[in-house]
Amino acid sequence: MKAVRIRHFGPPEVVVLDEISKPSPASGEVLVRVVAAGVAPWDAIIREGKSAVSPQPPLTLGSDLSGFIEAVGPDVTTFELGDEVYGVTNPQFCGAQAEYAVASAGMIASKPQSLTHIQAASAPVVAVTAWQMLFQYALAKNSDVVMITGAAGNVGAYAVQMALNAGLQVVAVARPQDAELLHSLGVTKMVDSSADDFRAKLSPVDVLLDTVGGTIVLQCVEAVKPGGRLVSVVSATPLPKRTDMQSSFFYAEVTSQRLRTLTSLFESGAISARVGSVVPLAEARRAHEMLGGAPHRKGKIVLQVSE
């Protein structure tokens, strides 16, 4: 089978399309015939050798996927051959960008029927991240005002949709060119992060969800009310410190249960997938160049693996 591989760490040039043997699922695993696989910033982190969790090369890149169950491990009873599924491969976030991928049965779920495989492959990690930010770490409740930095980004847009669906008040921090998208998602209050008087326009909030870091979060944290919460997925250190505010950083943990929660949100129309550039599997290196800044459509980059 064909797989997007790296034989050693490095820039996009190290990405190759290799022919390797089809893997077999072990206990607690399934084999997925992949239709589409996501491409994300953490793939570049793994490719560059900066990940603390990925194995050493040679390795197959990719975590998000959508496709069909091809085989199940000996103790897997939750899936059957031919089931349409989406999710991620494993806690090491590798192995998805291939014609067939082994995935942990506890990290996939039935694909939302309202989504294509391309859309489904774009969602798992970023949408679960948004859900965990809001409801697991920020413990947001429907009287809260939630400020979201990078609100038009892949994680931010999901957080916006989930927050509004939960009855929260949203303050979106973004740039003017993102206003149309944010308004289409239902945002009524947006703060221009590029404005000279940006800090002066910030009003008190209960929760700050940070997806961009840097000077933006340092300014936005001043708006968090005493007793409020800051949740970041950008960097564990240094988070802004305030003795009257809770701060937390985490890595997304994709589980079947969380994916089923997402599926309900997709099927009800509460959230929608945001697909950016779609690239054939054979051109995976080009997708990695997009991660490095090459022109591409806004939204999640996805590899089309098969029909």
Side-chain angles (χ1 to χ4, degrees):
M1 70 170 193
K2 293 181 174 61
V4 177
R5 307 268 287 173
I6 60 169
R7 298 164 188 165
H8 51 84
F9 296 127
E13 288 74 21
V14 304
V15 176
V16 296
L17 190 67
D18 272 347
E19 190 74 31
I20 63 173
S21 299
K22 184 193 298 186
S24 298
S27 176
E29 297 178 336
V30 299
L31 181 66
V32 178
R33 176 168 65 83
V34 181
V35 177
V39 181
W42 53 89
D43 294 326
I45 292 172
I46 291 171
R47 188 197 71 226
E48 294 167 354
K50 298 177 181 178
S51 169
V53 298
S54 66
Q56 293 294 304
L59 62 85
T60 299
L61 295 167
S63 57
D64 295 291
L65 54 71
S66 183
F68 297 86
I69 296 292
E70 180 79 6
V72 298
D75 58 347
V76 175
T77 59
T78 49
F79 299 102
E80 297 181 352
L81 301 186
D83 285 352
E84 292 186 276
V85 296
Y86 78 136
V88 304
T89 46
N90 50 57
Q92 289 75 44
F93 276 34
C94 60
Q97 294 172 10
E99 292 179 311
Y100 295 89
V102 167
S104 168
M107 300 178 74
I108 62 169
S110 297
K111 181 185 76 68
Q113 292 302 301
S114 59
L115 299 186
T116 65
H117 284 286
I118 291 286
Q119 292 170 326
S122 76
V125 173
V126 289
V128 166
T129 298
W131 187 91
Q132 286 190 272
M133 290 184 87
L134 267 172
F135 303 116
Q136 182 179 348
Y137 289 91
L139 301 175
K141 52 188 183 299
N142 61 11
S143 60
D144 283 343
V145 179
V146 179
M147 181 180 292
I148 303 171
T149 68
N154 289 334
V155 174
Y158 276 115
V160 165
Q161 294 177 81
M162 292 176 187
L164 291 173
N165 181 65
L168 308 175
Q169 300 178 59
V170 171
V171 178
V173 178
R175 294 180 177 273
Q177 57 263 38
D178 297 316
E180 183 177 353
L181 166 66
L182 291 169
H183 290 153
S184 74
L185 296 179
V187 170
T188 58
K189 184 168 185 180
M190 174 181 160
V191 182
D192 178 7
S193 59
S194 64
D196 292 336
D197 58 348
F198 165 62
R199 184 179 302 187
K201 292 185 176 180
L202 299 177
S203 55
V205 299
D206 302 286
V207 173
L208 172 58
L209 303 184
D210 172 42
T211 72
V212 298
T215 58
I216 297 297
V217 69
L218 292 176
Q219 296 177 78
C220 289
V221 77
E222 297 178 11
V224 179
K225 299 175 185 176
R229 286 90 68 198
L230 161 65
V231 181
S232 177
V233 292
V234 180
S235 176
T237 55
L239 283 180
K241 297 296 183 184
R242 269 180 42 188
T243 57
D244 62 348
M245 178 191 74
Q246 300 176 30
S247 299
S248 56
F249 166 85
F250 73 99
Y251 292 108
E253 183 182 0
V254 179
T255 65
S256 298
Q257 181 57 53
R258 290 181 182 132
L259 289 167
R260 287 192 287 268
T261 297
L262 294 185
T263 294
S264 296
L265 293 170
F266 279 121
E267 302 292 41
S268 69
I271 61 175
S272 58
R274 293 185 62 232
V275 176
S277 297
V278 179
V279 180
L281 183 69
E283 298 178 25
R285 182 181 294 176
R286 183 161 65 91
H288 278 259
E289 291 169 349
M290 293 175 182
L291 292 176
H296 63 280
R297 291 177 53 193
K298 285 188 176 182
K300 183 72 173 284
I301 302 167
V302 179
L303 294 180
Q304 175 84 59
V305 180
S306 65
E307 295 299 328

